[in-house]
């Protein structure tokens, strides 16, 4: 199960790029600035959200075009193909278009077809980042396993935004309207928080049972921003209305969640570990997640941007071995082929230069 026949039209520096004959491993090799990460970003748009760079849609369109871009691919599954497409139109560059087999669809519906996860150099500081960055990390992991997770997150965000609007209004908000909004937050937010808690519990269980590895083992904790059961969250929102009105924002709920990470061998917070240790723990989480998703019905894609460049040969070998044993299709970038020698004969390769690709 994999993506193939990928097309990029006027996407960043790719005017008309095509990638065919993909495999389980796919390598994009070229100089810095050639457009390798742009290809990963285009593929990442086959998931709900703003892609691996979290960029605005108009910023993704090539400068020489008409302000629009298009990305399409065939999802091959059990011998059959599903055509996925996304992009923008020249007259509405800020509105995302999604199509499945030529029919209009929502971005959220993409999660029903495949599960996507990625690691980028920008994520190396995840453990020192804001709680919001760690929530997005957890949600991306959860979404790759559960397609409903995106809808829970979107509904929660919209309801909290509406509650904040009411709380910050000059006039006292109608209690009945707050009741209705808080019921929405409790229902969607409870499902969102429960999904995060289940994911972290499953990751910890997987991490504890993995064979010895050169990657430092992290221990994860779910730090809830409020009750995760529907009734408890609804009551907490009701009880804190006066406090939240004074603050003009909602201070209890899944939008305040965080992920705690410690290095198990040292019992040391990840934020206090070395850069190398943090990178190793991030890869360990990714590999544990790949094992969790191995039995899922939806195809899995893993996008790894420059992940091999800063690993020693032992860790690179361990990474490739684990990825080969997993079920996900893997896309990796690098400036040279040498770090990927262990994948000779096992990977589809493309040379990327100035927004164009050549299959090796």
């Amino acid at each position: 199960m994999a993506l193939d026949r990928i097309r990029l039209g006027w996407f960043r520096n790719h005017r008309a790029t095509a990638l065919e004959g993909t495999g389980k491993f796919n390598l994009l090799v070229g100089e810095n600035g050639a457009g390798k990460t742009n290809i990963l970003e285009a593929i990442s748009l086959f998931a709900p959200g703003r892609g691996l760079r979290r960029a605005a849609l108009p910023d993704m369109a090539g400068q020489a075009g008409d302000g629009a871009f298009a990305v399409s691919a065939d999802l091959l599954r059990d011998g059959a193909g599903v055509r996925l497409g996304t992009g923008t139109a020249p007259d509405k560059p800020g509105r995302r278009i999604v199509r499945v087999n030529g029919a209009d669809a929502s971005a959220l519906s993409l999660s029903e077809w495949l599960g996507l996860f990625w690691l980028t150099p920008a994520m190396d500081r995840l453990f020192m980042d804001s709680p919001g960055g760690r929530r997005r990390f957890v949600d991306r992991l959860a979404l790759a396993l559960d397609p409903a997770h995106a809808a829970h997150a979107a509904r929660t965000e919209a309801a909290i935004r509406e509650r904040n609007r009411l709380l910050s209004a000059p006039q006292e908000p109608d209690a009945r309207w707050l009741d209705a909004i808080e019921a929405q937050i409790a229902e969607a937010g409870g499902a969102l928080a429960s999904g995060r808690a289940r994911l972290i519990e499953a990751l910890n269980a997987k991490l504890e049972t993995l064979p010895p590895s050169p990657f430092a083992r992290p221990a994860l904790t779910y730090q809830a921003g409020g009750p995760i059961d529907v009734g408890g969250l609804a009551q907490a929102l009701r009880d804190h209305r006066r406090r939240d009105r004074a603050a003009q924002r909602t201070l209890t709920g899944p939008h305040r969640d965080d992920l705690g990470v410690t290095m198990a061998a040292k019992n040391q917070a990840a934020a206090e570990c070395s850069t190398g240790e943090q990178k190793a723990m991030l890869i360990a989480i990714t590999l544990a997640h790949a094992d969790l998703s191995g039995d899922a019905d939806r195809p899995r894609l893993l996008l790894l941007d420059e992940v091999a460049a800063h690993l020693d040969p032992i860790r690179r070998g361990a990474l490739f071995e684990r990825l080969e044993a997993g079920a996900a299709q893997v896309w990796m970038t690098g400036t040279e082929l040498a770090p990927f020698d262990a994948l000779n004969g096992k990977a589809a390769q493309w040379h990327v230069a100035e927004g164009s690709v050549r299959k090796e």
Side-chain angles (χ1 to χ4, degrees), residues 100-153:
V100 177
N101 284 337
D104 289 340
S106 69
L108 288 179
S109 70
L110 289 170
S111 61
E112 300 173 6
W113 293 100
L114 74 166
L116 260 168
F117 186 68
W118 51 78
L119 282 181
T120 69
M123 296 168 67
D124 286 353
R125 292 181 57 83
L126 176 75
F127 306 127
M128 303 176 69
D129 196 0
S130 66
R134 288 186 289 275
R135 282 193 298 274
R136 287 191 294 273
F137 176 75
V138 169
D139 285 340
R140 180 59 56 194
L141 290 169
L143 177 59
L145 301 178
D146 178 11
H149 194 82
H152 298 324

Side-chain angles (χ1 to χ4, degrees), residues 249-319:
R249 66 186 188 277
T250 302
L251 299 176
T252 300
H255 63 301
R256 308 278 290 185
D257 287 355
D258 201 353
L259 170 68
V261 182
T262 58
M263 185 175 172
K266 295 182 177 180
N267 194 28
Q268 184 177 29
E272 300 171 3
C273 293
S274 70
T275 301
E277 289 169 335
Q278 292 184 31
K279 179 84 169 184
M281 285 188 282
L282 192 57
I283 292 175
I285 293 171
T286 301
L287 292 174
H289 179 263
D291 285 352
L292 284 178
S293 62
D295 295 331
D297 291 333
R298 294 176 302 150
R300 295 288 183 270
L301 267 74
L302 185 56
L303 313 179
L304 303 176
D305 193 17
E306 298 289 353
V307 74
H310 304 295
L311 297 178
D312 58 54
I314 292 176
R315 287 177 171 81
R316 280 202 302 268
L319 173 64

Side-chain angles (χ1 to χ4, degrees), residues 315-341:
R315 287 177 171 81
R316 280 202 302 268
L319 173 64
F320 297 154
E321 183 178 339
R322 290 282 303 283
L323 292 174
E324 188 171 8
Q329 184 187 46
V330 183
W331 291 78
M332 293 184 283
T333 65
T335 56
E336 56 183 357
L337 281 172
F340 305 102
D341 283 346

